[in-house]
Amino acid sequence: MKKTNNKFSFREQGTLLKKDLYANREVYFLLIPVVVFYIIFCYMPMYGALIAFKDYAPKLGVTGSPWVGFKHFEMFFNSPSFLTILWNTVRISLYSLLVEFPAPIILAMLINELRNARFAKVVQTATYLPHFISLIVVCGMIKDFTRDTGIITQLLSLFGVPEVSLLGYPQYFLPIYIGSNIWQDVGWSSIIYLAALTGVDPQLYEAAKIDGANKWQQTIHVTLVGIMPTIITMLILRMGSILSVGYEKIILLYNDATLEVADVISSYVYRKGILEQSWSFSTAVNLFNSVVNLVFLLITNKISSKVNETSLW
């Protein structure tokens, strides 16, 4: 067969694709609902981003609403709350990255070291379960446990923390938010790292033992190195959503006393778009957020591809 630059020609690629589609038609048929879902709920809504550049009115529709250019972006950048909201979002995101991101990696390595298979399954199940609890229920539990008579407040009082409703004080909001995120998602997030650990060759550990490496050295030079591509890939994906702090939990936990430290871009968009019905303005704010996330994703992916040759594309 004729090849160009050691690759199949477009015609040959098309022929191979047709053969593959026919040979695996059942698998591709199962893929159809997933593709339809993403088209309807992820790609089609992108058309609505146009209202960020318009004074959108429902009766006029997206195409009929007048263009205003970057008016809503300028309003956001010039608003008194812009720097506060941006700083809160960055601060929460960075603390989440520094504390939450390593947690499932550490948990996965600890579970991997357990020699009792039954106990390991119990630990996995116990850490997975909080992920499946409704966020409404979780936030209700957090509010109850952090009241002045709550169990968490009572335990912290043993270390000198005042017996007060912790969610009523700005300095306690971030630790409560980050801590509850770890409790809720650390087990579920560790699954992918546990899967990656199964791909580490056991002979590497034997070779490390022969060379005199202790358990800590084996962890650093064998375990971490073995799952590093997975860690880097997950880090790149995490950087792509660095400013996307979920508004649901923020809204359920913050109040007037903590608004100055808890209000983030997503909660601001919710208030402006849903409560105040400023559709164009809220779309502009959210589009700004998405563009910044995309920039972080591209930069992180580029750096990763240059440093260790691991990247998404």
Side-chain angles (χ1 to χ4, degrees):
M1 289 187 297
K2 183 180 179 181
K3 295 185 177 74
T4 304
N5 296 329
N6 296 323
K7 294 182 179 180
F8 291 106
S9 65
F10 287 113
R11 179 176 295 181
E12 291 167 337
Q13 290 177 6
T15 303
L16 291 174
L17 179 60
K18 290 179 181 178
K19 290 181 179 179
D20 187 66
L21 287 172
Y22 180 78
N24 301 289
R25 54 189 179 277
E26 295 88 357
V27 177
Y28 286 109
F29 181 77
L30 294 174
L31 186 64
I32 291 176
V34 179
V35 174
V36 172
F37 172 85
Y38 278 98
I39 290 175
I40 294 176
F41 295 102
C42 295
Y43 289 98
M44 289 180 63
M46 290 182 181
Y47 172 71
L50 285 175
I51 69 175
F53 306 94
K54 295 189 170 191
D55 269 335
Y56 175 71
K59 64 179 180 180
L60 299 176
V62 177
T63 56
S65 299
W67 289 93
V68 294
F70 292 96
K71 168 187 171 183
H72 300 293
F73 294 93
E74 293 174 357
M75 288 174 58
F76 176 54
F77 297 149
N78 295 325
S79 64
S81 55
F82 169 68
L83 291 178
T84 301
I85 292 171
L86 184 61
W87 168 243
N88 289 342
T89 307
V90 171
R91 184 170 58 93
I92 293 176
S93 296
L94 288 179
Y95 274 102
S96 297
L97 183 65
L98 292 174
V99 180
E100 293 180 34
F101 184 77
I105 302 173
I106 297 171
L107 177 63
M109 291 193 296
L110 291 175
I111 293 176
N112 189 60
E113 292 298 323
L114 295 176
R115 294 294 172 257
N116 189 319
R118 180 174 297 181
F119 180 65
K121 290 181 179 179
V122 171
V123 172
Q124 286 179 271
T125 302
T127 54
Y128 294 169
L129 284 178
H131 177 79
F132 298 99
I133 301 176
S134 168
L135 186 60
I136 300 293
V137 176
V138 169
C139 291
M141 294 168 60
I142 294 172
K143 289 181 178 180
D144 286 338
F145 293 162
T146 57
R147 295 183 188 277
D148 53 352
T149 57
I151 184 172
I152 293 179
T153 304
Q154 295 300 313
L155 290 174
L156 291 177
S157 67
L158 301 176
F159 301 93
V161 178
E163 294 185 23
V164 294
S165 181
L166 299 179
L167 283 175
Y169 293 83
Q171 64 267 30
Y172 299 126
F173 180 85
L174 184 58
I176 292 173
Y177 180 83
I178 300 296
S180 59
N181 277 352
I182 294 175
W183 171 74
Q184 191 174 8
D185 294 324
V186 65
W188 182 257
S189 300
S190 68
I191 293 176
I192 190 169
Y193 298 110
L194 285 169
L197 285 168
T198 61
V200 180
D201 190 350
Q203 294 182 357
L204 295 176
Y205 292 101
E206 297 297 329
K209 289 180 181 178
I210 294 174
D211 291 339
N214 56 33
K215 205 65 178 177
W216 175 251
Q217 292 171 329
Q218 292 175 40
T219 300
I220 298 297
H221 299 289
V222 179
T223 306
L224 277 179
V225 172
I227 65 173
M228 189 56 67
T230 302
I231 295 175
I232 293 174
T233 300
M234 297 303 295
L235 177 61
I236 295 172
L237 293 173
R238 184 66 177 265
M239 291 300 294
S241 58
I242 188 69
L243 295 186
S244 296
V245 180
Y247 71 92
E248 300 95 338
K249 192 172 184 179
I250 294 288
I251 291 173
L252 290 171
L253 291 181
Y254 74 2
N255 50 56
D256 292 339
T258 58
L259 189 63
E260 60 178 297
V261 298
D263 197 20
V264 295
I265 291 177
S266 57
S267 60
Y268 184 72
V269 168
Y270 169 80
R271 288 202 315 277
K272 291 295 182 179
I274 303 299
L275 301 183
E276 300 181 16
Q277 299 183 349
S278 300
W279 297 294
S280 294
F281 180 78
S282 62
T283 303
V285 176
N286 206 37
L287 184 58
F288 161 76
N289 188 41
S290 300
V291 170
V292 173
N293 283 336
L294 177 61
V295 171
F296 273 110
L297 174 64
L298 295 174
I299 292 175
T300 308
N301 189 73
K302 187 68 174 180
I303 294 174
S304 177
S305 64
K306 293 291 185 182
V307 174
N308 53 34
E309 300 182 354
T310 300
S311 61
L312 297 180
W313 60 83

